[in-house]
Each structure stands twice: as C-alpha cells, then as structure tokens.
Amino acid sequence: MNFFYYIFHFIYYPCVGLTIISDYQYSYTNITIMKYIFSLFVFLNASYIQYNIHLTLEKQNPIEQNEIKPIPYGYWIFNYFSCPNSIIEIIIYLSFFLTSHRTSAMASLLVWVFTNQSLSALLNHRWFCRYYKDSYPTKRRALIPFIL
C-alpha cells in the first residue's frame, strides 16, 4: 500500500469523529431504545460477518509472491459477492448512521462510504472477471445479488 494511504487514514478518522461530535446539536433526537438495539444488532452481525470474510481471505492468501491468487471460497457470502467486505462495510456504516441521531455529518459519511465501497466493489468484480475469465463463478455480483 501507498504511504499516503496510511497518512490519509490517520487524518480522516479523527476528523470524522470531531465532525460528528460538533454536528450533534443539529441532530434528530427522537430515537427509541429499540432503534439503538436494532442498530447494535445490525452492527454486531455485520462485524462478525466481516471478521469471517477476512479470515477466509487470509487463509487463501498465496504464500509465494508469484503464486496465483485463488478464487475466494469458503464462507457463504462469497457465493453472492465478489467483494463482500465492501458490502458489509456499507452495512456497518448504515448501522452507525441509524445510531448517530441522523446528523448531516453522518449522512455525508454514509454517502462517502457507499460511493467509495461501491466503486471499489465494482472495480474488484471487473478485475476478478477479467483475471479468471471462464473459471470465475457467474452467480457472483459486485453489489446486488443476481443483478449488479
């Protein structure tokens, strides 16, 4: 990875947190405990799925530098998505948005993450299709199962 990628994240995440804190005074405050529980349920499930995705990808990482990368298999979500970690990241940020009193900062962050992760998923899906050609599973999609 590029060095600037890491520097960007050291600046990005503290700024996001500060923006959310400063935007709290303009928030939608009519949120019930059930919405918090639902958001927590979505977040915990998505985090668990993301953890298993990363375990699956780590197990299939080639040992040698010039070794061919295998097509990811082994966890149920790989049957539907080429890059399930991008989809799950969107769901995690959606749970943050639901819990955040729907501030404009959190809405902007959700739009940013959706755009960024969608583009990443589309580009990765296209790469998988070109790299593996006929051996790549035809049922897998980038963003929406069976459609896109």
Side-chain angles (χ1 to χ4, degrees):
M1 287 267 173
N2 193 328
F3 175 73
F4 293 108
Y5 179 80
Y6 293 106
I7 296 298
F8 172 77
H9 284 88
F10 280 122
I11 296 169
Y12 172 75
Y13 286 111
C15 289
V16 166
L18 291 173
T19 303
I20 292 168
I21 290 169
S22 66
D23 200 27
Y24 180 76
Q25 63 186 354
Y26 305 109
S27 66
Y28 173 76
T29 57
N30 189 15
I31 297 180
T32 65
I33 191 71
M34 290 307 293
K35 290 181 185 177
Y36 278 120
I37 291 171
F38 175 73
S39 296
L40 181 63
F41 177 76
V42 169
F43 172 76
L44 291 175
N45 279 318
S47 295
Y48 177 76
I49 292 169
Q50 188 178 46
Y51 173 74
N52 283 311
I53 289 167
H54 289 285
L55 283 179
T56 303
L57 291 173
E58 191 272 328
K59 287 177 188 173
Q60 295 180 349
N61 199 13
I63 296 171
E64 297 294 325
Q65 190 70 341
N66 57 359
E67 191 177 340
I68 295 174
K69 287 185 172 255
I71 297 173
Y73 286 106
Y75 194 59
W76 66 269
I77 200 164
F78 284 104
N79 296 334
Y80 304 102
F81 298 110
S82 294
C83 264
N85 49 343
S86 296
I87 306 306
I88 296 300
E89 190 75 15
I90 292 169
I91 293 171
I92 287 172
Y93 275 88
L94 181 63
S95 73
F96 290 161
F97 175 72
L98 294 174
T99 307
S100 72
H101 300 284
R102 298 184 205 140
T103 62
S104 59
M106 226 23 223
S108 299
L109 180 63
L110 180 61
V111 168
W112 162 254
V113 168
F114 179 79
T115 304
N116 181 22
Q117 295 299 317
S118 297
L119 181 61
S120 176
L122 289 167
L123 291 172
N124 282 323
H125 179 72
R126 185 170 70 180
W127 182 86
F128 277 123
C129 290
R130 286 183 181 170
Y131 186 77
Y132 293 110
K133 297 181 175 120
D134 294 333
S135 62
Y136 196 68
T138 57
K139 292 181 180 179
R140 287 191 189 177
R141 297 293 181 246
L143 290 172
I144 304 168
F146 312 112
I147 299 173
L148 177 64

